[in-house]
Amino acid sequence: MSQTADPSAGRSVRTRPGASARALHEAYDTALLDLDGVVYAGGQAIAYAVDSLATARADGMHLAYVTNNALRTPDTVAEHLTELGIPTGASDVITSAQAAARLVSEQVPAGARVLVIGGEGLRVALRERGLEPVDSADDDPVAVVQGYGGPDMAWGRFAEACYAIARGVPWFASNTDLTIPSARGIAPGNGAAVEVVRIATGAEPQVAGKPLPPMHRETILRTGAERPLVVGDRLDTDIEGAFNGEVDSLLVLTGVTDAAQLLAARPEHRPTYVDADLRGMLTGQREVTAVDGGFGCGGWTASVRGGELALDGEGAALDGLRALCAAAWTEAGDGVCALDPGKALARLGW
């Protein structure tokens, strides 16, 4: 297991990125890959993703794709990945809709009616668990489940959820990501839609998706992973989900998280490894060491100086970022580093 951070649970605080002498695709049996911002963006493959995943798969690593987007079915996701040049079967895709459907099925009778506020992915997942999706609060549902419904979801769907919740039925949400990447930029995600219903009803949903345990459980049940590596671009879902599941993680900088946010990460958001893109799965990870006055990685030394993060030396930009992580996270301890990283990151081109 990685060094993780939750003092209240007796786990140690991660103060620097981890090191690996072996390539990560050889050190772990299964990659649990996020999709948006990791494998593709705006529907198109991210640079180096196709070739990196092909190499990892050819060398024996099991690739599983784990997404909080409950709109698309596993079949649809698998077809999309295959079209991008990443051969994928539906069984290799795990969605928050599946995690939510399992959570619902454990609390309602078999064959029960469930009001769906979302898309086809939720409907398919509920049927897989033997439940009947319905569209109206007047269909006598025993639960409400809400997932991302896409940009064309009608406002009236939220009203149906509110009517049913007001009658006392339990409310479930696939995930609470406030935003979702799109080809044109960042759009409102299911979390924004959940807030609409929360404000209107005063209720709280049971949430299944990353970073919460139901999603991790669903993933492990479906993949059988024994040495999983979570690969993601978001600190608050992918990396925190790995933390909650007590497994190692790789943050790639091809999505929503930038270098400054990484340096300011609180303990549960600190990844085991950090790399530029999915090529990082195919390499080892250089060690960050304590040196006089700071932390060294490659040709760089990072330290706290004059009330800000400082960087001396030269070398690969990623090594400099790893050294800065050690300086920032050590300074922050179990809190958040508030030191200005601007000058140091500018040296690295960030």
Side-chain angles (χ1 to χ4, degrees):
M1 294 297 173
S2 66
Q3 185 186 23
T4 52
D6 185 356
S8 66
R11 287 187 274 169
S12 57
V13 173
R14 172 170 293 285
T15 57
R16 69 184 77 171
S20 177
R22 298 174 64 192
L24 298 184
H25 76 298
E26 297 173 346
Y28 298 89
D29 69 343
T30 305
L32 307 179
L33 294 129
D34 185 47
L35 289 170
D36 288 314
V38 175
V39 178
Y40 55 63
Q44 299 302 310
I46 288 173
Y48 312 110
V50 174
D51 290 344
S52 297
L53 294 173
T55 298
R57 184 175 55 251
D59 288 349
M61 189 180 215
H62 179 204
L63 306 180
Y65 302 93
V66 186
T67 177
N68 261 0
N69 189 332
L71 177 61
R72 297 194 295 169
T73 67
D75 281 315
T76 302
V77 174
E79 289 171 6
H80 180 201
L81 289 170
T82 301
E83 289 171 358
L84 294 178
I86 306 168
T88 306
S91 62
D92 297 320
V93 179
I94 300 94
T95 74
S96 63
Q98 293 172 320
R102 188 184 297 272
L103 195 60
V104 174
S105 71
E106 293 170 343
Q107 299 181 43
V108 304
R113 294 180 175 185
V114 177
L115 175 60
V116 174
I117 311 300
E120 187 62 16
L122 271 178
R123 295 176 184 277
V124 169
L126 288 168
R127 293 189 189 105
E128 182 185 34
R129 301 250 68 89
L131 301 171
E132 180 183 350
V134 296
D135 292 319
S136 172
D138 294 334
D139 290 328
D140 296 324
V142 300
V144 176
V145 63
Q146 184 174 1
Y148 182 64
D152 297 324
M153 178 179 279
W155 188 257
R157 301 305 302 146
F158 304 138
E160 292 298 326
C162 294
Y163 301 149
I165 293 166
R167 296 170 188 169
V169 304
W171 174 30
F172 299 82
S174 63
N175 66 295
T176 53
D177 297 31
L178 290 173
T179 61
I180 188 169
S182 76
R184 296 173 59 193
I186 301 299
N190 190 54
V194 166
E195 284 302 307
V196 171
V197 178
R198 189 202 309 267
I199 291 168
T201 63
E204 292 289 336
Q206 296 182 51
V207 183
K210 295 182 286 186
L212 297 173
M215 187 67 168
H216 183 72
R217 178 182 59 150
E218 189 72 21
T219 300
I220 298 303
L221 286 172
R222 289 180 180 268
T223 64
E226 295 181 356
R227 299 186 315 281
L229 177 69
V230 170
V231 184
D233 70 308
R234 298 184 69 120
L235 301 180
D236 59 348
T237 55
D238 305 315
I239 305 308
E240 186 175 341
F243 169 80
N244 289 336
E246 299 187 59
V247 298
D248 288 351
S249 60
L250 167 65
L251 178 79
V252 291
L253 299 172
T254 48
V256 302
T257 300
D258 62 25
Q261 291 168 330
L262 174 63
L263 296 178
R266 60 181 191 253
E268 65 270 30
H269 290 173
R270 297 171 188 171
T272 314
Y273 312 111
V274 58
D275 221 301
D277 51 58
L278 287 180
R279 289 177 295 178
M281 291 174 56
L282 308 179
T283 66
Q285 296 285 308
R286 194 188 296 270
E287 184 178 11
V288 180
T289 59
V291 298
D292 286 343
F295 297 89
C297 187
W300 298 100
T301 299
S303 60
V304 176
R305 191 166 63 235
E308 62 184 18
L309 292 173
L311 191 64
D312 299 296
E314 60 182 16
L318 273 168
D319 288 340
L321 180 59
R322 292 171 181 134
L324 283 170
C325 284
W329 297 350
T330 299
E331 176 71 15
D334 60 3
V336 173
C337 181
L339 299 175
D340 182 5
K343 294 178 182 177
L345 290 178
R347 292 202 63 190
L348 301 176
W350 274 301

